[in-house]
Amino acid sequence: MAWPSVFQRGTLLSQFSHHHVVVFLLTFFSYSLLHASRKTFSNVKVSISKQWTPSAFNRSIEPVEVFIFGTVTEWLHFCNKGLYCCLWIVNGLLQSTGWPCVVAVMGNWFGKAGRGVVFGLWSACASVGNILGACLASSVLQYGYEYAFLVTAAVQFAGGVVIFFGLLVSPEEIGLPGIEAEENVEEDSHKPLINGAENEDEYEPNYSVQEGSTITQVKAISFYQACCLPGVIPYSLAYACLKLVNYSFFFWLPFYLSNNFGWKEAEADKLSIWYDVGGIIGGTLQGFISDVLQKRAPVLALSLFLAIGSLVGYSRSPNNKSINALLMAVTGFFIGGPSNMISSAISADLGRQELIQGSSEALATVTGIVDGTGSIGAAVGQYLVSLIQDNLGWMWVFYFFILMTSCTIVFISPLIVREMRSLMQRRQARILSG
């Protein structure tokens, strides 16, 4: 049965020390603060659009200020496109380092047992950051959009100081055994949830290892070797499509609510929180179910099929805030949940396969590949969303989301077939043994 693997050694919580709790909370809030600063751009989109391009709202008015954002530049009235591009590139570069690092740290502290639940709950950090960012931005928006950047940046700086002095990267730093040493004792320690072989008993590692050691040691793998690991490319491509949809909601939802329904910007910011609430619940619940089944792809597939229906429903939401919030939460559950699971639990599974057992560097590399590919999809999506909305309208934007969600299912379909076959074989084995 799959259930005991989740609660082996009595209970999952019995494996955790106070160090695990501290690491969980520090990495959780570090990425929450990063996402809070990202959310600022989404929350002030309406104000920035009116100030930068007033001709878009009233064609009799010529733009007074164009193409710069932030706090200091706004106070100094210093507008320069070159500076804007440099700041935007540096911001993207620094933001991109956050997720691979925190996933690698979590992977160093938390093993396979209950990874879906732990990472499902932990991956809510992005959604919590979105909620925090929306609350902070809406609370100071009346004073000017630049204050939203100032507040989130100040909070993020304070959090960075705490992380720098308080975060332990791995158990070995304080003399505790690593997760490979703990999992080596378990009967099924070399049967990861993500496996490239059809039959786990026939699985053979093809990387050089050092024999005679309790923990299998491997050399740090290259970017090409990481891409060749089973499941990395399919999940990366799937995440590119899914992150495109998820981040389109992230960046465009408050603007859509204000533009399409005529609601006030502060009200739209607060209402958009419900999408993240759905994502938090979805990621945690779907992670738990995937732990019970010991398979990720079938859970993802079912959620994504239902996500298509939720997108159709939300695209036809009436001009009613309560109904809109409900449909928004359901959409977040079926889109944000799978997105959280791919970026956290599945990335950790991919980076802890038997091929690279013992290589902590591989986890960060694999996570970077998955998240980086997703970021490419998200970046392309932001351009396409604005292009489609300007020329065809919001309904065609939702048709585009449905297409991308369908592509996500297509990319992971080979994994779905393989894992469903494995589940059926396991069920037949239990019936025969009974």
Side-chain angles (χ1 to χ4, degrees), residues 13-90:
L13 293 178
S14 66
Q15 302 178 37
F16 297 162
S17 66
H18 72 280
H19 296 292
H20 289 82
V21 176
V22 171
V23 168
F24 184 99
L25 293 176
L26 287 179
T27 53
F28 185 98
F29 285 108
S30 66
Y31 199 70
S32 294
L33 295 178
L34 278 175
H35 245 262
S37 64
R38 293 183 193 179
K39 185 66 174 174
T40 305
F41 297 97
S42 172
N43 292 328
V44 301
K45 190 184 291 287
V46 174
S47 294
I48 288 179
S49 298
K50 289 181 178 179
Q51 185 161 331
W52 290 1
T53 56
S55 59
F57 295 85
N58 185 348
R59 299 192 180 277
S60 64
I61 302 176
E62 291 298 323
V64 179
E65 299 179 56
V66 181
F67 219 72
I68 197 69
F69 64 88
T71 305
V72 176
T73 52
E74 179 64 26
W75 287 346
L76 297 178
H77 298 286
F78 181 75
C79 304
N80 183 277
K81 293 182 180 179
L83 175 63
Y84 169 85
C85 292
C86 292
L87 290 175
W88 194 233
I89 291 172
V90 172

Side-chain angles (χ1 to χ4, degrees), residues 127-268:
S127 297
V128 170
N130 295 343
I131 295 173
L132 177 62
C135 292
L136 289 175
S138 61
S139 65
V140 298
L141 199 57
Q142 57 184 318
Y143 304 108
Y145 75 81
E146 64 271 20
Y147 287 94
F149 291 103
L150 177 63
V151 171
T152 53
V155 173
Q156 187 174 350
F157 179 81
V161 174
V162 175
I163 300 300
F164 181 80
F165 289 103
L167 181 62
L168 295 172
V169 174
S170 66
E172 289 87 346
E173 288 190 5
I174 54 174
L176 294 177
I179 61 169
E180 286 85 4
E182 295 180 353
E183 290 179 346
N184 195 51
V185 182
E186 302 296 330
E187 182 179 357
D188 62 343
S189 63
H190 294 299
K191 294 182 180 179
L193 288 173
I194 303 294
N195 199 324
E198 293 289 337
N199 188 334
E200 292 178 348
D201 293 333
E202 299 174 358
Y203 190 75
E204 293 293 337
N206 57 9
Y207 284 94
S208 61
V209 297
Q210 298 176 355
E211 300 293 342
S213 172
T214 304
I215 305 174
T216 305
Q217 298 291 334
V218 300
K219 298 178 180 179
I221 62 174
S222 66
F223 179 85
Y224 175 76
Q225 289 172 319
C227 290
C228 292
L229 290 172
V232 170
I233 294 299
Y235 273 120
S236 296
L237 295 174
Y239 191 50
C241 298
L242 190 58
K243 192 171 183 178
L244 183 154
V245 179
N246 195 41
Y247 263 54
S248 295
F249 274 92
F250 171 76
F251 281 114
W252 288 94
L253 186 54
F255 182 82
Y256 165 74
L257 295 175
S258 180
N259 181 265
N260 193 58
F261 297 108
W263 297 337
K264 294 180 180 179
E265 185 177 20
E267 294 177 345

